[in-house]
Amino acid sequence: MGMLCYLLLLCLHMMIPCVFSQVKDFVSIDCGARGNYTDPNTGLTWVSDVSFNRYGNVVEFNTTNKISPQYRSYRYFPADNKKYCYTLPTTERKRYLIRATFLYGDSNFDDPYPMFEIYMDATHWSTVKIKDASRVYVEEMIVRAPSDSVPVCLCCASTGFPFISTLELRPLNDSMYMTDYEDNFFLKVAARINFGAMTINPIRYPDDPYDRIWESDLDQRQNYLVGMAPGTKRIRTLKNIKTSLREYPPLKVMQTAVVGTKGRLSYRLDLDGFPANARAYAYLAEIEDLGKNETRKFSMLQPSIPGYNDVVVNIAENANGSYALYEPSYMNVSLDFVLSCLFSKTRDSTRGPLLNAIEISKYVQIVPKTDSQDDAILDALRSLSSKGAWRHESGDPCVPAQWEWVNCSSTMPSRITKIFLSNKVLNGSIPMEIKQMNQLEELWLDGNSLRGLIPDMSSLRSLTVVHLENNRLSGQLPSYFAELPKLRELYVQNNCLSGNIPPALLSGKFIINYDANPGLNIIGGSGHQRSLRFILIVVSGTFVASIILLLGCLWLLRNRRRKSLKSESSEKYDSFRIVSKHSTRYSISRGASLFADENFDVACYISLSAIEEGTCNFSTKIGEGSFGPVYYGKMKDGKEVAVKISSDQSSHGTQQFVNEVSLLSRVHHKNLVPLVGYCEEDHQRILVYEYMHNGTLRNHIHDSEKKRSLNWLSRLLIAEDAAKGLAYLHSGCNPCIIHRDVKTSNILLDTNMRAKVSDFGLSKQAEENFTHISSVARGTVGYLDPEYYANQQLNDKSDVYSFGIVLLELISGRKPFSVEDYGSDWNIVHWARSLLRKGDISNIVDPSLIGTFKIESLWRIAEIAILSVEPHGVCRPRMQEVELAIQDAIKIEKGSKPSSGSSSSSSNVLALHVSFPSSQLEILSCNSSNNMNLPSAR
Ligand SMILES: *[C@@H]1O[C@H](CO)[C@@H](O)[C@H](O)[C@H]1NC(C)=O
Ligand SMILES: *[C@@H]1O[C@H](CO)[C@@H](O)[C@H](O)[C@H]1NC(C)=O
Ligand SMILES: *[C@@H]1O[C@H](CO)[C@@H](O)[C@H](O)[C@H]1NC(C)=O
Ligand SMILES: *[C@@H]1O[C@H](CO)[C@@H](O)[C@H](O)[C@H]1NC(C)=O
Ligand SMILES: *[C@@H]1O[C@H](CO)[C@@H](O)[C@H](O)[C@H]1NC(C)=O
Ligand SMILES: *[C@@H]1O[C@H](CO)[C@@H](O)[C@H](O)[C@H]1NC(C)=O
């Protein structure tokens, strides 16, 4: 062992690739390579995938010196409903690191970039989503091999086609990556970071004999590692370090570290696919020579893990000496999408915290494979033939896509319901074990050379269709078929069956064909039976023919739909490419995303310097929002942005800011202003939004010049857009988001005068800062829901109230709050309500609209606006109902809905009462006593 270590070190120092004991067990598959070769940089032997996979086609790139040989080609597969698998040889119960990589390269395909799924056995591994053709996407899974092979399958392309560049199998040493959960969970690697790295390149084989990839903390990928505490210093040593603990991190990784010279060490990174339960490891070794009376003691303040945050780490003590490994770990910890780490030295410690490396993996629940007995019988059937591509279908028979020749149940584990092996050159006898396939419904083994007896299938109670015709089967025709409750067809003609046909089979309950079995006798044979059989066959023949026709049509239709779906998704794709960013190199899926729209990514982190450059040092102020001042800017890629700077300089709530932003950035809707990125540096909190060229709705509606161009229909369209955005916040997001500050200055207009809602979701932040002044309600005077103001109970109806005010503004062109305009009433609500109650709409409507609208359309909006500003939240409609009312008004205005012909104002007041759906009638009655009948109290 000592000798081996010595050799190992020698190799490392001389950087000569040399063969370790593990290496002979490495499987390194270069997908699409023409032949086997040894990579001179690593000394690893790569084999072509020809012997692993017989499907797909190869794309080769023109050789450039920059990329390593295994990325000069890839194999791609058709975007069909099949799966394409590589089966890796394993030793049962041994642990492995399995890695798949994907480099799309600058292929000359016009198609959108691929997005597809990879599976390990029946377990979903990841969604591979290519956004940057020049980047190598890496997926890593640590598994304990369930059997003597592990299939890795690609399938289910939603854009482009499935492809793969390399597939690597790395055996791990016995102690490594053992968890209490490995019977039921795989480990999907989410982050493995080497701190204090010497170069930007990751460390892997031969430095790590297990060929793990240790990413460099110098890597500048966006959102990769941010939020580094001031005073962080990189340190390194050349001394040897004892690393022989459980996980054997490589020496080179342990020889570098970061220390917080000012007492703190902090980092933040995104964990794709989280929130989830994870296994988290820190690798620590004291690599500074501490003085006699010096100590390094620290504790972890974040993430907050019950029971762990008060634990004081003293590396040298914990590791029993300097230059020795200590591996504190959490075997099962629940982590969020944004991981913030914060270590802080204890008061009595003379040195700050130190960190050499971390590793975080997500637990992925293992999905059971198809029933093993069913699977074994399929294997037995497969071995009856030596011809045909169907025999090479690999992976699980059912998941993620079923083999061509079987159908499966949707149970877990899957069961086989249909075997379809007509005319497949099967030779031999039907396996006796078939009696265990008790979910089998259809068995098609006709047109082969099967011999021997018909096996016992009496326990297959679900059988409906059995086709054994045109074989060489012999022996008796079993009578149990008569007892199968669901049997509809039994075809055994043209075999070598003999003996008497059991009379029960001729009861006429199902179709039976036993022709051309020379030895078969009918007891008291009668022509009647034969003709019955004939009729049944003719009938079933036409039935089959029509089924085939129907299926043909369906197939055609399906193909068409697939095509149109494809073009749709590629359109969607184009729009998302604009907002895409580099996510962390590992997982690309967002399995546990909180929001429905999976096609978008989180906003990226933008450095302060980039923002300063983009805004010319904040030279063009374009507004002042509730968050703070807003500046115009232009990013490097030409994108115009609005940059909002928090006016709150307190250092509290930074964590909350980050969490909120990362949640917000995953809210995407075409009627919400998209968040492009954010920055949090030097106590500055900055949000970068897409720039909206036509400014706020407020500027348009209260500007005598601009409001002229805003006719009634365009106001309706703006209202519809804004209502959609708000409705999405209320019911499309989980958790539901309440805007809290709906007003015309938070509705922004793009170049086409379509509206997007802005400034949502940050409200929580604002309120959190004022928790000690509980009487402060957020909102803007004139828009503030009186109910919320009175009792601080916030719900979606507060937004509805504010939006009702916006609608009244759109109708009247007046400001919501003004002593001159409304006299003693003060606000637009009382003024509008009293006029509308009198049926007097002409005095409400914006003078610049007069004569340009249909009165019914205006009334529809007036009705919904007045309902929305009901004093009690329960009486107000939901946002979706408001949206529907606006769409109604648009239809009327566009003339697609016949107008009622009545233009007298009094009948319109009537309409106010009768045109609501019944659910709103209830609502109306709920406080009619003080609002509908009595004059306003003010
Ligand atoms: C490449 O290596 C594999 C596995 O060792 C072997 O099966 C295959 O025959 C080799 N191919 C060539 C072309 O040498
Ligand atoms: C590769 O290079 C050859 C010759 O230089 C050229 O004919 C071929 O089109 C190139 N292929 C691609 C995919 O660029
Ligand atoms: C692998 O594990 C064995 C014990 O299971 C240990 O003796 C050996 O040193 C380990 N190998 C390496 C390279 O760490
Ligand atoms: C981790 O802990 C959670 C909560 O205690 C538990 O539900 C889960 O099964 C545990 N294991 C894994 C692998 O998630
Ligand atoms: C301990 O360290 C302090 C300075 O940090 C020094 O002044 C003092 O002499 C040291 N004491 C011993 C016993 O080394
Ligand atoms: C710690 O190290 C000392 C020598 O450095 C040794 O005597 C002692 O047994 C070690 N303790 C443990 C628990 O390994």
Side-chain angles (χ1 to χ4, degrees), residues 527-566:
H528 166 72
Q529 287 288 0
R530 284 199 172 232
S531 59
L532 172 70
R533 197 185 70 221
F534 178 69
I535 290 166
L536 283 173
I537 288 169
V538 170
V539 168
S540 69
T542 36
F543 180 69
V544 168
S546 45
I547 289 276
I548 288 174
L549 217 89
L550 193 75
L551 285 180
C553 294
L554 282 178
W555 183 79
L556 272 175
L557 269 177
R558 203 183 116 108
N559 265 18
R560 279 204 184 166
R561 261 192 51 194
R562 232 182 115 87
K563 268 188 195 151
S564 64
L565 271 180
K566 265 202 155 168

Side-chain angles (χ1 to χ4, degrees), residues 242 319-321:
K242 274 186 278 174
N320 196 14

